[in-house]
Amino acid sequence: MDVSGGNGQPGSGSDEPAGHRQGPATPSPSPGPGNPDPGREPDHDTHATDASDSADGAAPAPPRQAPQDPAPGDTPGHDHRTLAHTPATGDKNGPGPGKGEPPQPPAEPGGGILMGRPFGVPVYVAPSWFLVAALITWVFGGQLDQVLPELGAARYLVSLFFAVAFYASVLVHELAHTVAALRFKLPVRRIQLQFFGGVSEIEKEAETPGREFVLAFVGPLLSLILAGLFWLAMKPVEPGTVPGVLLAGLMISNLIVAIFNLLPGLPLDGGRMLRAVVWKITGKPMTGTVAAAWVGRALALTVLIGLPLLNHSRFFGGDADLGSMDTLTDALLAAILAAIIWTGAGNSLRMARLREHLPELSARTLTRRAVPVETDTPLSEALRRANAAGARALVVVDPDGTPLSLVRESAIVGVPEHRRPWVAVSGLAQDITDGMRVSAELSGEELLDTLRAAPATEYLVVEETGEIYGVLSAADVEKAFVKAMARPS
């Protein structure tokens, strides 16, 4: 479901590059995290296969902060406009969960029982699969009782085999998406078999409309091929036998999956194909997403209203009894399918908005101005220099000016004001590792991927020459990311 968000209003310090170098920056009024410099306030494709198959880009996850050790003497912060008194997390009433606390991204997906790793991609069976497997077993067992009454209770074993075989076909459908994605060098997070089919979570979008079309089309194509293979396998099998009934059921189910997923609306594969066509014609992926998403919403309404009427029309030999239990079951199924399609189309629009504005998340614009201080500098003196320079971060350097560590904002808050003249900044700092050095030129998904690879609360931002540009707070990035999710296109 190709979802998109909006954009954050990033902030950094002064726009003057020299203000981010190793020397103190130009003073600005009321500096500090509570009141950053003017103009610098910072304001995770899935392919689902089922009756509502979808092919989407997974939303880029915001960076995860590394856990922090509690600082000694931790006391609630105050809403003062200086670096010394701003709470590290929480709202203006003090530390703790609140508006100022950046949301944590979900943990790396598990999603059920791990079944294997074909092509290196984990395949999970969600708990909801067992519910639908039981439902298929019950329904198909009832049909078998009419065709092969001599089976007796054994018909449910045959039905269970059918449910497993059908979901094996769904897995083949998903593996087609996965292999195509890997062929285009698009990372696949996982495949999950769930209540209404399967999902291939592809982490990035295809770079061209042609690749997008191929990526979406291979799933239904494999389902059509499977339907054809089951049809060929039926030829030498005697009709009215267990193998004959199973092969017929698998042929029909794969044919339905293929046809349904070729319908031209997001989040179905056909919607992705429509998106690729509009993208090719207009040259704008966002235009393709909008068109395919609205077609998807129209499709959802069509399914909601049309499917129950079609099932009970004379076209299918129905009796048009709108008060029967079968009619209520069909209406419930149609409502579930319509809800999945409608929600998927909406998510596709949201993700498209996010990806449209994601490049505006820039390390250079989100970076806080930093003041370099030596290891034995008292915290009170370091804060005086930072506030005088309009800076919002402290970088501990050696006598040659080489950065050694970053003073954690949460640790500053935890030191009572009367103790700050006797606390050296080195005792509140976190050593800079290779993963905590971030280029000032990073932006968009590249920036998020870099931060996710090395979770931390602060990062040292450097120029290509190696000079200090400033300090990037993960909280600022996540705040901008959340606003990007909410900002309209």
Side-chain angles (χ1 to χ4, degrees), residues 240-281:
T241 62
V242 170
V245 172
L246 284 175
L247 290 171
L250 290 171
M251 180 200 70
I252 294 172
S253 60
N254 276 279
L255 189 61
I256 291 174
V257 167
I259 293 174
F260 196 91
N261 281 292
L262 285 172
L263 294 177
L266 286 173
L268 306 178
D269 286 331
R272 296 296 297 249
M273 294 160 64
L274 174 61
R275 175 180 183 269
V277 171
V278 177
W279 178 4
K280 179 67 175 179
I281 294 173

Side-chain angles (χ1 to χ4, degrees), residues 185-206:
K185 301 190 184 310
L186 302 176
V188 182
R189 183 178 302 173
R190 68 173 177 178
I191 296 174
Q192 186 186 52
L193 300 180
Q194 51 188 226
F195 186 86
F196 264 92
V199 177
S200 298
E201 296 186 3
I202 301 173
E203 295 186 352
K204 293 185 179 180
E205 281 193 337

Side-chain angles (χ1 to χ4, degrees), residues 52-423:
S52 67
D53 177 52
S54 92
D56 279 301
R64 182 179 306 168
Q65 294 192 34
Q68 304 177 39
D69 296 329
D74 199 1
T75 56
H78 306 283
D79 191 26
H80 296 321
R81 304 295 185 176
T82 64
L83 178 63
H85 293 283
T86 302
T89 58
D91 59 14
K92 68 180 181 179
N93 296 319
K99 293 182 180 179
E101 183 178 79
Q104 296 297 320
E108 279 305 305
I113 301 172
L114 178 63
M115 302 301 294
R117 294 180 178 271
F119 306 103
V121 177
V123 176
Y124 293 93
V125 174
S128 59
W129 178 85
F130 295 96
L131 177 61
V132 75
L135 180 62
I136 291 175
T137 301
W138 177 263
V139 173
F140 194 69
Q143 295 175 346
L144 277 178
D145 191 36
Q146 299 177 12
V147 179
L148 298 169
E150 65 274 12
L151 287 178
R155 68 182 182 272
Y156 291 112
L157 290 176
V158 177
S159 299
L160 179 60
F161 178 83
F162 170 78
V164 173
F166 170 68
Y167 268 84
S169 301
V170 170
L171 177 59
V172 171
H173 179 119
E174 293 305 323
L175 286 174
H177 290 307
T178 295
V179 171
L182 296 177
R183 174 68 178 81
F184 295 143
K185 301 190 184 310
L186 302 176
V188 182
R189 183 178 302 173
R190 68 173 177 178
I191 296 174
Q192 186 186 52
L193 300 180
Q194 51 188 226
F195 186 86
F196 264 92
V199 177
S200 298
E201 296 186 3
I202 301 173
E203 295 186 352
K204 293 185 179 180
E205 281 193 337
E207 297 178 351
T208 65
R211 291 186 174 186
E212 172 86 346
F213 189 93
V214 170
L215 191 60
F217 180 63
V218 290
L221 176 62
L222 257 292
S223 293
L224 285 173
I225 291 175
L226 285 176
L229 291 176
F230 287 125
W231 177 75
L232 290 175
M234 288 172 55
K235 293 299 183 181
V237 176
E238 183 180 350
T241 62
V242 170
V245 172
L246 284 175
L247 290 171
L250 290 171
M251 180 200 70
I252 294 172
S253 60
N254 276 279
L255 189 61
I256 291 174
V257 167
I259 293 174
F260 196 91
N261 281 292
L262 285 172
L263 294 177
L266 286 173
L268 306 178
D269 286 331
R272 296 296 297 249
M273 294 160 64
L274 174 61
R275 175 180 183 269
V277 171
V278 177
W279 178 4
K280 179 67 175 179
I281 294 173
T282 64
K284 298 178 180 179
M286 183 65 182
T287 302
T289 300
V290 171
W294 279 104
V295 173
R297 287 177 168 176
L299 180 62
L301 295 177
T302 301
V303 169
L304 178 64
I305 298 172
L307 186 60
L309 296 178
L310 193 63
N311 281 347
H312 289 270
S313 68
R314 291 182 179 177
F315 181 80
F316 282 112
D319 55 11
D321 180 8
L322 298 182
S324 68
M325 181 60 68
D326 287 343
T327 299
L328 295 178
T329 302
D330 290 340
L332 178 60
L333 176 62
I336 294 174
L337 291 178
I340 292 174
I341 297 173
W342 183 278
T343 302
N347 288 340
S348 298
L349 286 173
R350 187 169 61 92
M351 178 61 71
R353 287 198 304 268
L354 172 62
R355 292 188 182 280
E356 185 178 42
H357 295 293
L358 198 58
E360 298 176 28
L361 296 180
S362 165
R364 189 173 293 278
T365 56
L366 287 171
T367 294
R368 298 178 178 186
R369 180 184 297 146
V371 167
V373 293
E374 294 191 0
T375 57
D376 57 353
T377 304
L379 178 58
S380 58
E381 172 61 17
L383 293 176
R384 186 195 66 77
R385 295 181 193 177
N387 290 323
R392 301 178 58 203
L394 300 172
V395 178
V396 180
V397 299
D398 64 13
D400 296 328
T402 303
L404 301 174
S405 56
L406 302 177
V407 179
R408 294 177 296 129
E409 187 178 4
S410 59
I412 295 175
V413 175
V415 179
E417 192 166 352
H418 68 274
R419 290 182 51 198
R420 291 173 182 173
W422 291 274
V423 176

